[in-house]
Amino acid sequence: MRNIPRRKFIQLSSASGAFLIVGCIPSAEGKEKLISKVTSNLPSIDLNQFISIGKDGSIILFNHRPEMGQGTYQSIPMILAEELEVDIDLVEIRQSQASRELYGSQMVVGSRSIQTQFEQLRIMGASAREILRQAAANKWETDLNDCRASNGRVVSNDGQVFTYGELIEDASKLEVPQKPPLKNPDQFKVIGKPFHRRDIPLKTNGEAQFGIDISVPGMLYASVERSPVFLGKIKSFDESEALKVQGVKQVISTSRTVYGRTRFGVAVLAESYWAAVQGRNVLLIEWDNQSLEEVSDLTIEKESLEASNSNGNELFGRGNTDKILDDSKEVIEASYQTPYQAHVPMEPMNAIVSVKENSAEFWGSTQNPNGIRSFIARKYEISENDIKINYTFMGGGFGRRSMTDVVEEAADLSKKSRVPVKVIWSREDDLTQGPFRACSLNVCRAVINDEGKVHALEHKIVAQEIRNQTGENMKAGRQLMGGINTNYTIPHLSVKGVLRKRHIPVSYWRAVYHSTNPFAHESFIDELAHRVKKDPIAFRLEMLDQPRYRRVLEEVAVRANWQASRTDNIGKGVAIAERSGAYFAMVVEVRKLKGRIVISRITTALDLGICINPDTVKAQTEGSIVMGLGAVYSGLTIKNGAVNEQNFNTYPMLKMDQCPEIETYIIKSNAPPDGAGESGLPTVAPALANAIFDLTGKRIRKLPIDMNGIM
Amino acid sequence: MARIKLVVNGQKRELDLDPTMPLLWVLRDYLGLTGTKYACGIAQCGACTVHVEGVPIRSCVFPVSAVQGKEITTIEGLSKNNDHPIQIAWIEEQVPQCGYCQSGQIMTAASLLKRNSSPTEEEIDNVMSSVLCRCGTYPRIKIAIQKVSGE
């Protein structure tokens, strides 16, 4: 029960009656203990913070992780239902309240929702099941072993039946078993089956509510003009024209904090969003750009190349890589570059906040509901108990909605205007303000021995680091080496980081550094394979004894028909990577078509341990690949200290006609589950670049790729 | 400000509005029909697609004055019980992830099938490539449309 606190909790009381308390209290031995106690005659009783059972047999299961498309709305209740022994299609699923006390972390980042709480969620389901069985055993005056839980009922050996509803009152008076027996994975009936997601019907008729869809009484809409050059300060502004726009109420300067740096803006508050935008369009602001206008892609590239001559600091090392590279006559070297990327959730960033003297309330879509509560509490010195968090479905997040900067703007404007304020970012705000996936320069060097094997390899990453964006400390942290495969049995391996600091803000973007480093690493491994004239999959397998890596690589080779002889018109490329514990292999197949290169098929194999909902894992894999391909075909450029692209017309997303056929094969496993939300993304760029090399002999070392310009 | 008369999902509405306001913001902020989404504001992504007299338009750039008296259908008015063949196929194929763009996808797909009940894959690509999805639901959208058109 690592992340779900064992503390007393009180769940969903109605104003009119008493309620059931089930939860955890410290015991005499100082350990925390699961308890239950009835104080209620309400028709529905909450067995714990995840499970509520009505006397009529109705069952509610709560998902406590905000839903941004990743599917935990379905897969968390599936885990509960498995151990509780109920039909997942017949229960009601609800989103839980935001409460660190009841649920521990509810943050949805790093594909961790299932990975970190699988065991605890099973215990929640199993402990409820056990007291229901015990209640039946007591009623029948029989042994617990004679009572079987199945399909929302307890059945005795001699065929007697109680529904859970009939048992709930008795059950809730029993002591909750601290270590309930958990099912053997071979007995799973819900986990591992492709159940339909219950949030999906809501998302086909406009019913699903996102943050941007909420309005609260008395609120004003705000649109904020911010300096296009990051860190620009307001010299002066003239609001007179804006105030003439019908519906505009106030013009207020505001600020927000992005990784330790203050970013300024001028907000137009109005009765409608449209009026706020009209007012913003006629604001006159003079910016002090802090002499940052000279920064561009060219200066960043030059500065990165210079920095790559430095050794930075070693993030991972084995053997004696530096000496071998120094002493070798032939060192193979290649450099790879990736651009900045924006998150671009389809729902633009937004937040509604109402800040009062001693209380506050938030409405919106967030990956981090409890973080927002703490942020507002700290900033305005309000007790966390007096801050209400109302979170909705998210229209995508991809890391961007883990931050509190937009909430800060809305809170600041609410505090200053004394009304609830709804801030909506335009798409242009989203693209030009960031923060962004960091751009990178990766320099790889290797020595191959006489047997054609990699003897030493150095991978140097030159990039900004999310956790260290300001100040004097220039030591690169291990975060920077995400996605570098240290499982290759290369005897001498050194991963180095050369930290860069710039005024351009960077942040967590789906798969984070796993979205850039593997492009270099797996392209370089491919270059080495071709150098020694070995098959790229065979070459990798020679260097791998990690069984899960071997398994996915062997699987994808079969599924993609890797060994089939290639015609002149077909190229295939492979790449492997691990993200959030999931092992992933991908083969991309490309073809020549009317003078261009197109992807004809993508085949993937992944091992993420126990798979809760295979259809959701497939959907996440397809989604990760589409996002990864988008980041292969387009990138942000920096000009005059600012982002050049403004909207989808200049920063194109992947479209349907660019989306290849995707086949996903999930390896069967009883290992604990790992993350599914990002694991398909890291291999996209290298597998595609390797396929293009296979087809054309041209090596792509810089993203984005112009697929029309290769041949 | 002007007196604007609208017919939305079969209901007559009258409002005092800035006539240049895009239909999108009228639907969302004045009529409470939030199923139609804002995502780019420049008719590039299709999230705001609604039907005007049965024809799909990008409501984020369509001034409300231009649709006066015309029949407007939003996602909320596509079917009574979430049972339009496209909606059924969307659920069957488990298309949405975050779901934000899906109103636009569904309204675009519904009008495609109304014009052409059995589009080729190329025709589906041509029409549906105008609607963006950041979650990457394209493979399933295509299968769902093919499923409906095959019936």
Side-chain angles (χ1 to χ4, degrees):
Chain A
M1 300 269 295
R2 193 155 35 96
N3 292 314
I4 299 169
R6 292 183 159 223
R7 242 171 294 148
K8 189 168 81 170
F9 59 83
I10 298 165
Q11 174 77 319
L12 298 172
S13 66
S14 92
S16 58
F19 36 80
L20 173 76
I21 301 171
V22 180
C24 317
I25 53 160
S27 68
E29 312 89 73
K31 285 182 182 171
E32 295 198 318
K33 208 177 161 202
L34 283 161
I35 58 135
S36 85
K37 193 170 102 190
V38 184
T39 59
S40 166
N41 292 314
L42 289 175
S44 173
I45 292 176
D46 304 323
L47 278 182
N48 57 43
Q49 62 267 59
F50 290 96
I51 297 166
S52 179
I53 298 178
K55 288 181 184 171
D56 60 356
S58 61
I59 294 166
I60 304 167
L61 301 180
F62 291 90
N63 166 40
H64 65 305
R65 298 283 188 169
E67 174 62 53
M68 59 177 161
Q70 82 278 27
T72 47
Y73 189 84
Q74 181 72 19
S75 38
I76 284 177
M78 278 173 69
I79 298 168
L80 298 166
E82 179 70 68
E83 294 289 351
L84 184 61
E85 295 288 359
V86 291
D87 183 341
I88 184 70
D89 283 336
L90 296 182
V91 304
E92 185 182 336
I93 294 175
R94 281 193 205 162
Q95 199 67 43
S96 82
Q97 59 181 304
S99 166
R100 192 179 281 125
E101 221 184 1
L102 294 183
Y103 297 103
S105 174
Q106 291 176 269
M107 201 168 176
V108 278
V109 292
S111 305
R112 290 184 201 135
S113 295
I114 302 284
Q115 197 181 19
T116 55
Q117 288 186 325
F118 181 58
E119 183 92 1
Q120 298 97 297
L121 290 164
R122 290 176 69 192
I123 289 170
M124 285 290 163
S127 62
R129 178 196 69 216
E130 288 306 292
I131 53 174
L132 289 160
R133 282 178 66 218
Q134 187 63 58
N138 294 352
K139 278 181 177 242
W140 291 320
E141 296 179 355
T142 179
D143 192 79
L144 180 63
N145 290 328
D146 295 336
C147 304
R148 190 166 49 87
S150 168
N151 227 353
R153 304 177 311 167
V154 180
V155 184
S156 72
N157 272 358
D158 54 6
Q160 299 182 81
V161 174
F162 280 124
T163 66
Y164 283 0
E166 290 166 333
L167 295 168
I168 184 67
E169 187 142 19
D170 287 354
S172 60
K173 291 170 188 161
L174 297 175
E175 185 159 343
V176 179
Q178 302 304 298
K179 285 184 182 163
L182 299 179
K183 289 165 86 171
N184 185 307
D186 298 332
Q187 302 170 290
F188 285 164
K189 288 182 289 202
V190 183
I191 291 173
K193 306 287 186 301
F195 281 98
H196 276 191
R197 281 171 53 172
R198 298 279 283 284
D199 55 331
I200 281 181
L202 306 174
K203 293 171 174 177
T204 58
N205 63 1
E207 203 179 329
Q209 194 177 44
F210 300 87
I212 201 168
D213 300 334
I214 297 179
S215 45
V216 302
M219 75 176 193
L220 290 178
Y221 294 83
S223 184
V224 184
E225 181 74 14
R226 308 169 192 85
S227 172
V229 177
F230 311 105
L231 306 185
K233 290 181 178 165
I234 301 162
K235 262 196 209 164
S236 64
F237 69 92
D238 177 353
E239 70 271 50
S240 52
E241 288 302 312
L243 287 169
K244 287 180 195 161
V245 174
Q246 192 151 22
V248 169
K249 293 288 175 192
Q250 297 184 56
V251 176
I252 311 175
S253 68
T254 184
S255 66
R256 68 190 215 282
T257 316
V258 180
Y259 291 101
R261 291 196 276 215
T262 307
R263 307 267 299 274
F264 299 94
V266 180
V268 177
L269 276 63
E271 285 170 346
S272 72
Y273 177 66
W274 181 246
V277 169
Q278 301 312 297
R280 178 181 167 186
N281 287 343
V282 292
L283 273 180
L284 294 172
I285 308 175
E286 208 182 335
W287 297 101
D288 169 5
N289 286 329
Q290 310 282 308
S291 307
L292 291 161
E293 298 98 323
E294 76 272 18
V295 179
S296 70
D297 280 346
L298 285 176
T299 65
I300 291 168
E301 184 170 5
K302 188 162 170 271
E303 167 242 299
S304 297
L305 284 168
E306 277 168 20
S308 73
N309 294 321
S310 135
N311 253 341
N313 52 284
E314 190 167 66
L315 303 169
F316 177 91
R318 65 169 171 252
N320 205 355
T321 312
D322 289 358
K323 182 160 173 19
I324 291 165
L325 289 171
D326 282 348
D327 293 350
S328 294
K329 273 179 281 175
E330 199 191 0
V331 175
I332 303 160
E333 178 171 335
S335 298
Y336 306 85
Q337 287 170 268
T338 63
Y340 289 105
Q341 297 286 357
H343 298 79
V344 198
M346 288 307 286
E347 179 193 4
M349 297 305 292
N350 65 84
I352 305 175
V353 180
S354 171
V355 179
K356 293 179 178 162
E357 200 56 48
N358 295 309
S359 67
E361 190 160 358
F362 161 86
W363 298 262
S365 46
T366 173
Q367 292 175 246
N368 186 13
N370 298 316
I372 288 175
R373 190 199 312 276
S374 301
F375 170 78
I376 295 172
R378 270 198 312 275
K379 184 164 170 111
Y380 296 103
E381 296 180 342
I382 297 171
S383 160
E384 293 216 357
N385 296 330
D386 297 319
I387 299 169
K388 192 163 181 221
I389 301 295
N390 308 280
Y391 70 95
T392 64
F393 286 126
M394 280 175 270
F398 315 114
R400 182 64 183 88
R401 288 198 153 89
S402 62
M403 296 180 64
T404 52
D405 62 319
V406 182
V407 176
E408 185 179 354
E409 274 182 346
D412 179 54
L413 294 169
S414 172
K415 182 83 179 166
K416 288 171 177 167
S417 66
R418 297 166 183 267
V419 294
V421 172
K422 179 179 189 175
V423 171
I424 300 176
W425 284 37
S426 67
R427 182 59 62 199
E428 289 80 3
D429 296 335
D430 178 43
L431 281 191
T432 56
Q433 293 296 312
F436 308 99
R437 196 281 304 275
C439 71
S440 71
L441 168 68
N442 288 248
V443 183
C444 299
R445 299 199 298 155
V447 172
I448 289 185
N449 67 16
D450 295 339
E451 293 149 29
K453 290 192 167 164
V454 185
H455 187 51
L457 190 148
E458 180 194 64
H459 187 137
K460 194 186 283 181
I461 304 138
V462 184
Q464 290 167 265
E465 193 176 341
I466 301 160
R467 290 193 191 129
N468 183 5
Q469 299 193 44
T470 58
E472 301 299 311
N473 176 11
M474 292 303 286
K475 190 170 180 235
R478 272 183 69 96
Q479 180 180 44
L480 216 53
M481 68 170 284
I484 307 266
N485 185 353
T486 56
N487 282 115
Y488 285 128
T489 54
I490 298 166
H492 304 276
L493 178 64
S494 175
V495 183
K496 297 184 174 86
V498 182
L499 180 66
R500 307 310 303 148
K501 289 190 177 176
R502 301 188 187 109
H503 78 298
I504 301 159
V506 296
S507 187
Y508 297 89
W509 188 93
R510 198 174 195 172
V512 200
Y513 291 95
H514 287 68
S515 74
T516 51
N517 292 337
F519 167 57
H521 203 73
E522 282 292 292
S523 293
F524 192 57
I525 294 291
D526 204 71
E527 296 205 39
L528 298 176
H530 285 285
R531 179 67 72 106
V532 297
K533 299 189 167 55
K534 282 187 183 166
D535 173 81
I537 287 186
F539 184 71
R540 283 172 171 82
L541 284 171
E542 273 178 21
M543 296 192 288
L544 284 169
D545 45 28
Q546 214 286 356
R548 296 175 81 177
Y549 260 137
R550 291 190 66 91
R551 188 86 198 275
V552 292
L553 199 43
E554 284 161 354
E555 178 80 10
V556 86
V558 172
R559 298 292 187 175
N561 212 2
W562 179 262
Q563 296 300 345
S565 58
R566 314 251 211 285
T567 65
D568 286 350
N569 194 36
I570 289 184
K572 286 180 185 172
V574 67
I576 58 173
E578 172 274 325
R579 168 69 185 163
S580 305
Y583 291 83
F584 204 95
M586 179 182 293
V587 168
V588 171
E589 182 190 279
V590 292
R591 286 167 192 260
K592 292 176 190 167
L593 184 77
K594 297 173 191 165
R596 315 169 49 224
I597 292 173
V598 294
I599 300 177
S600 40
R601 189 162 77 130
I602 293 183
T603 312
T604 70
L606 73 156
D607 175 358
L608 43 46
I610 290 169
C611 173
I612 311 303
N613 189 336
D615 193 54
T616 298
V617 170
K618 282 184 182 170
Q620 285 302 299
T621 302
E622 290 158 9
S624 295
I625 290 170
V626 168
M627 192 155 172
L629 272 179
V632 167
Y633 296 155
S634 52
L636 295 173
T637 56
I638 306 296
K639 198 176 164 188
N640 301 327
V643 164
N644 206 24
E645 290 72 22
Q646 300 283 318
N647 207 320
F648 293 134
N649 50 350
T650 45
Y651 183 60
M653 300 290 96
L654 198 86
K655 295 178 176 168
M656 181 186 275
D657 60 4
Q658 298 169 295
C659 182
E661 217 173 286
I662 298 166
E663 290 172 28
T664 304
Y665 298 95
I666 302 166
I667 305 282
K668 278 213 168 18
S669 166
N670 282 346
D674 286 307
E678 299 155 292
S679 55
L681 200 149
T683 44
V684 174
L688 174 57
N690 295 341
I692 291 169
F693 181 82
D694 188 47
L695 180 65
T696 66
K698 285 183 188 162
R699 180 56 67 179
I700 307 281
R701 297 197 185 94
K702 188 174 184 176
L703 301 181
I705 303 175
D706 174 7
M707 296 288 276
N708 297 322
I710 298 166
M711 290 196 300
Chain B
M1 286 294 195
R3 192 78 182 155
I4 304 281
K5 292 180 183 177
L6 296 173
V7 185
V8 184
N9 300 332
Q11 286 194 320
K12 288 182 183 166
R13 311 294 288 257
E14 266 189 69
L15 296 150
D16 286 314
L17 287 170
D18 169 0
T20 68
M21 187 182 292
L23 175 62
L24 170 68
W25 298 109
V26 179
L27 292 172
R28 290 182 54 81
D29 292 348
Y30 289 83
L31 300 179
L33 294 168
T34 54
T36 306
K37 302 302 187 195
Y38 163 67
C40 77
I42 58 166
Q44 289 284 312
C45 76
C48 65
T49 302
V50 299
H51 299 167
V52 174
E53 301 286 326
V55 177
I57 61 123
R58 302 279 159 109
S59 66
C60 73
V61 292
F62 223 82
V64 66
S65 57
V67 293
Q68 283 217 70
K70 292 184 177 155
E71 209 163 291
I72 301 160
T73 308
T74 70
I75 184 74
E76 291 90 347
L78 186 65
S79 70
K80 279 209 170 67
N81 303 304
N82 207 7
D83 55 1
H84 186 284
I86 281 287
Q87 290 169 317
I88 292 168
W90 246 239
I91 295 166
E92 193 50 45
E93 294 306 318
Q94 295 283 287
V95 172
Q97 289 185 27
C98 88
Y100 192 80
C101 73
Q102 297 298 338
S103 300
Q105 304 281 4
I106 289 167
M107 295 306 279
T108 306
S111 75
L112 163 67
L113 287 176
K114 206 171 167 189
R115 284 198 312 277
N116 178 356
S117 62
S118 50
T120 63
E121 185 176 351
E122 201 181 344
E123 284 164 337
I124 296 172
D125 270 347
N126 283 343
V127 171
M128 298 309 295
S129 288
S130 66
V131 192
L132 301 179
C133 173
R134 186 61 158 163
C135 297
T137 62
Y138 302 132
R140 289 163 187 242
I141 291 174
K142 189 179 281 183
I143 291 168
I145 294 173
Q146 285 170 333
K147 201 167 174 179
V148 177
S149 68
E151 276 165 7

